[in-house]
Amino acid sequence: MKTLTVSIVTPDGPVYESDVEMVSAKAQSGELGILPGHIPMVAPLQIGAVRLKKGGNTELVAVSGGFLEVRPDKVTILAQAAEKASDIDVERAKAAKERAERRLQAKQDDIDFKRAELALKRAMNRINVYEGRI
Ligand code: ATP
């Protein structure tokens, strides 16, 4: 089976590196599925799960936006934050979700609203990845 090397990197350091059979990620333009030999490209990502198919298993990494760069034998994801499912503190994510929901209900200015909306998306993404619900 052909593979490609995937690296997920954040400002705090590398989060994931492995050879996989397929990568799926949520680009701004929609879901992308990348197999070995894919044409080179760069795409901005949404807050979402990256799925890594490997030997009949699928691993999940929660990614908080960023960019994906594809070369024929390598995919690099540069993200502001990224966590493997096993590294997610689900209680922290649930607390962040509740905090963001409270801020969205309190009528404040647009900037606060946008920030709370993004915080809510990050928290829900982490909860979904932790629970394997992607
Ligand atoms: P919080 O309000 O809980 O800090 P956040 O969405 O504002 O959440 P980020 O700014 O996206 O947090 O991330 C800051 C750092 O904390 C990053 O290194 C990220 O990987 C880590 N992180 C955030 N939430 C979690 C979590 N639930 N489990 C594990 N690591 C987390």
Side-chain angles (χ1 to χ4, degrees), residues 56-69:
N57 280 329
T58 301
E59 295 174 319
L60 295 176
V61 177
V63 169
S64 299
F67 287 90
L68 167 134
E69 184 201 29

Side-chain angles (χ1 to χ4, degrees), residues 12 64 81-83 87-90 92-93 96 99 119 122-123 126:
D12 297 331
S64 299
E83 305 86 33
D87 290 335
I88 290 173
D89 176 345
V90 76
R92 175 175 168 179
R99 207 161 50 237
R122 291 195 298 274
R126 286 173 177 131

Side-chain angles (χ1 to χ4, degrees), residues 41-113:
M41 62 174 246
V42 174
L45 294 178
Q46 296 184 44
I47 294 167
V50 173
R51 277 178 291 160
L52 304 132
K53 224 175 122 192
K54 194 176 164 184
N57 280 329
T58 301
E59 295 174 319
L60 295 176
V61 177
V63 169
S64 299
F67 287 90
L68 167 134
E69 184 201 29
V70 183
R71 282 180 272 147
D73 59 352
K74 183 152 172 74
V75 171
T76 306
I77 292 172
L78 298 171
Q80 195 55 44
E83 305 86 33
K84 286 189 271 193
S86 55
D87 290 335
I88 290 173
D89 176 345
V90 76
E91 293 309 321
R92 175 175 168 179
K94 284 179 182 168
K97 177 173 178 276
E98 281 167 22
R99 207 161 50 237
E101 283 169 342
R102 273 200 307 276
R103 286 183 182 147
L104 286 173
Q105 275 156 18
K107 289 247 182 292
Q108 288 180 357
D109 61 43
D110 286 353
I111 296 169
D112 287 345
F113 195 84

